[in-house]
Amino acid sequence: MHLPAVLLASTLFSSSVVHGLFTRSAGTVACANLTSSLGVAKVVSTPLNPEYIATTQDYWNARQSVYTPACIVYAQSAQDVSVSLKAIRAAGSRFAIKSGGHNPNNFFSSVDGGVLVSLEQMTGMSYDASSTLASYEPGSNWGELYEYYQQFDVTVMGGRLAGVGSGLALGGGLSYLSPQYGVACDSFRELEVVLPSGEIVTASESTNADLFLGLRGGGGNAYGVVTKYTVQSRPIGNFYAGNLVYLFEQCDAVLEAIHDFIAYNNDSKASILPTYEKLPTPDVNLNLDEAIILFVVYDGEDPGTAFDNFTSIPHIIDTRSVKTYTEVVNMPVPFVAELTRADNVFRSGVHHIEDESYKTALDTWRTWAEDNKGSYIHTGLYLYPVSRSLTDASKAQGGDAMQLPDGPWFWTAYDLATPPGLIDSVYDAIQDSFRDMVAATPDADDLPLFLNEAAWDQNPLSTFSTYSELQQTKQKYDPDGFFANKTGGWSFA
């Protein structure tokens, strides 16, 4: 090697080492300052501390648990978050904000060598019967929120699985009540937000309206940290709900029933969540490695004929009964993504119902799953109906960052869980193959992708009709790129 090349290699190596040391050093400096300002009760820097271990291991995508934050700040108020962001900025440290930890994307809620700000202790919630508005902090999951508000015979718009964190609403949030009331973010009425500068502000339709729009379906980690939600509650009573489970020999019949429900159902109280599940076990021509699990939920005790197209198809399990809403979101079916902590990823698709994309998506996924047995421990395909009543309800509340086009159409979500501990090259090869499989069913170019189920490289914000407006909002509230450069999140490039 010529001398200049040696010097160049030495310089590059030294720069890499210095950068790594600087990143971790910046985190250490931030943590020291935060310990001084917030106290040892709120800042944990020891990886062997049980609280530290519990927080770093509590990710749906287990690969996020390999990272080691320089410290974890257990914020208890918006002021704590503000102090944290100011200290992180001053030190030049990387950071992440974590509430439920369900987003599988790298560094969206995890950090290595920087500061992890956990919101898990911010669990306040309240209800004002005179205004019917509900307020809650970001540390609770949906099951805890639903259980609290049920005593008032109301609920809030959120996720369909109890264990998912409240940050889901910032990415849109589909509820079993969405055909009546829109997606979860449509019910936002006021948000308390800590900006990248550390300033604590209110966002609503009348105050910081551009920020409010961006946070309604535009995702977290973009404009600031939401520390309190004030939302419109919704009345609830009992539901008629349960699971229908089919063998895969009913695949085509169930798929056509799903198509017809998306295209023609006019009862906004009826909601479905169709899931196709595949395990890596040998097929032996009995289809025991596959199942179709359908969630059917009706807001009321009598669904009438709303689900007849599904119940008329032979099925092996039927758990439908009258349930409370908390029972609905805890329906005990195996293999649901919430229950399967592993090296998980999601990918999203979006399609019109009038074409053959619903067939293509299922056939392509099923072929891939069969061809790639041994490379996963579970994979699933989920179809999310977006009805005309849902999009009308969204528009009636002022719309959101997605500005949903008129239904009916549907989102798809693809879940892949790989064996733990795969070396990066093997893991990356599986992910690339899975990505290509999803892309083989082209997305509709006039419909938005769903942030809650999107992978980092899908750039879902660019599919929103409001994208240029959201870019301007990002520049306004994060002018020096503090959030853009120091934490993970959706790209506005």
Side-chain angles (χ1 to χ4, degrees):
M1 185 181 288
H2 296 297
L3 183 58
V6 173
L7 292 175
L8 176 60
S10 176
T11 301
L12 290 175
F13 174 77
S14 298
S15 297
S16 174
V17 171
V18 169
H19 176 73
L21 291 174
F22 175 77
T23 299
R24 189 160 293 277
S25 175
T28 302
V29 170
C31 291
N33 291 337
L34 285 165
T35 301
S36 176
S37 57
L38 293 177
V40 294
K42 293 182 180 179
V43 183
V44 177
S45 302
T46 306
L48 296 180
N49 182 289
E51 193 172 20
Y52 182 108
I53 294 171
T55 299
T56 54
Q57 293 302 305
D58 186 22
Y59 287 99
W60 178 66
N61 179 4
R63 288 183 80 89
Q64 303 304 310
S65 296
V66 303
Y67 302 118
T68 306
C71 67
I72 302 176
V73 176
Y74 292 93
Q76 297 178 5
S77 66
Q79 185 61 36
D80 286 349
V81 175
S82 173
V83 169
S84 298
L85 293 183
K86 290 177 180 177
I88 292 165
R89 176 189 285 274
S93 174
R94 288 196 62 80
F95 72 99
I97 307 296
K98 181 176 184 285
S99 53
H102 252 75
N103 191 304
N105 290 302
N106 217 23
F107 300 129
F108 276 45
S109 60
S110 60
V111 66
D112 196 26
V115 180
L116 181 62
V117 181
S118 171
L119 308 179
E120 63 188 83
Q121 295 185 9
M122 297 180 64
T123 57
M125 55 190 83
S126 63
Y127 176 66
D128 184 341
S130 61
S131 66
T132 68
L133 293 178
S135 295
Y136 57 87
E137 293 178 333
S140 300
N141 64 35
W142 292 112
E144 292 162 342
L145 290 169
Y146 296 153
E147 184 175 5
Y148 172 79
Y149 290 112
Q150 190 167 283
Q151 65 183 304
F152 306 108
D153 297 322
V154 301
T155 194
V156 291
M157 296 293 291
R160 292 166 295 185
L161 298 173
V164 177
S166 62
L168 166 143
L170 294 171
L174 275 171
S175 162
Y176 290 121
L177 300 175
S178 285
Q180 297 179 75
Y181 304 117
V183 290
C185 65
D186 293 327
S187 288
F188 291 173
R189 295 297 178 262
E190 185 176 281
L191 302 173
E192 179 184 74
V193 187
V194 184
L195 298 179
S197 65
E199 181 184 1
I200 303 171
V201 302
T202 296
S204 68
E205 288 187 344
S206 59
T207 304
N208 297 312
D210 52 354
L211 177 63
F212 188 58
L213 177 68
L215 290 167
R216 294 178 77 178
N221 286 19
Y223 319 98
V225 182
V226 176
T227 51
K228 184 179 180 181
Y229 301 80
T230 299
V231 304
Q232 178 60 59
S233 68
R234 304 299 179 183
I236 56 162
N238 286 329
F239 290 72
Y240 191 78
N243 295 110
L244 297 169
V245 180
Y246 308 84
L247 295 177
F248 242 74
E249 65 188 41
Q250 304 299 336
C251 177
D252 292 341
V254 174
L255 187 61
E256 288 307 311
I258 294 168
H259 167 272
D260 291 348
F261 184 90
I262 296 173
Y264 306 121
N265 174 63
N266 291 316
D267 188 342
S268 64
K269 292 188 175 184
S271 185
I272 64 169
L273 171 55
T275 77
Y276 288 80
E277 313 285 347
K278 185 88 168 175
L279 296 175
T281 51
D283 182 2
V284 297
N285 296 318
L286 296 175
N287 292 123
L288 299 180
D289 60 333
E290 302 173 307
I292 306 165
I293 303 173
L294 180 72
F295 294 69
V296 295
V297 177
Y298 193 82
D299 185 5
E301 297 187 11
D302 182 7
T305 62
F307 304 123
D308 282 3
N309 282 358
F310 299 108
T311 56
S312 64
I313 301 170
H315 45 276
I316 58 173
I317 297 175
D318 182 352
T319 67
R320 291 175 302 144
S321 66
V322 175
K323 294 177 171 66
T324 65
Y325 197 48
T326 53
E327 291 172 330
V328 168
V329 299
N330 281 289
M331 288 193 286
V333 172
F335 313 136
V336 172
E338 177 198 353
L339 305 179
T340 316
R341 184 181 187 271
D343 290 358
N344 285 308
V345 297
F346 264 136
R347 298 194 75 86
S348 180
V350 62
H351 308 283
H352 292 289
I353 194 60
E354 299 88 357
D355 56 29
E356 298 288 297
S357 56
Y358 65 102
K359 295 180 180 179
T360 304
L362 178 59
D363 290 344
T364 305
W365 167 79
R366 193 181 183 197
T367 298
W368 184 92
E370 193 63 35
D371 291 345
N372 287 272
K373 282 197 171 184
S375 65
Y376 61 86
I377 57 179
H378 167 261
T379 182
L381 169 63
Y382 316 114
L383 284 75
Y384 299 160
V386 180
S387 64
R388 178 59 185 265
S389 63
L390 185 159
T391 57
D392 284 349
S394 178
K395 290 178 173 64
Q397 297 173 85
D400 49 47
M402 292 179 285
Q403 296 295 7
L404 298 172
D406 289 343
W409 43 274
F410 66 102
W411 279 306
T412 52
Y414 301 79
D415 165 35
L416 176 68
T418 56
L422 291 177
I423 62 174
D424 288 347
S425 60
V426 174
Y427 178 78
D428 291 343
I430 297 170
Q431 300 304 308
D432 290 347
S433 175
F434 191 68
R435 175 202 63 205
D436 294 344
M437 178 274 295
V438 174
T441 306
D443 292 322
D445 59 11
D446 57 343
L447 297 173
L449 283 172
F450 192 35
L451 258 68
N452 289 147
E453 320 289 21
W456 67 271
D457 59 341
Q458 292 188 283
N459 199 14
L461 290 175
S462 67
T463 68
F464 292 9
S465 63
T466 60
Y467 185 47
S468 60
E469 185 178 347
L470 298 179
Q471 287 178 306
Q472 294 174 16
T473 302
K474 173 66 171 175
Q475 178 60 32
K476 176 180 175 181
Y477 290 97
D478 188 20
D480 60 355
F482 174 45
F483 271 41
N485 297 319
K486 295 299 185 180
T487 189
W490 301 112
S491 172
F492 284 83

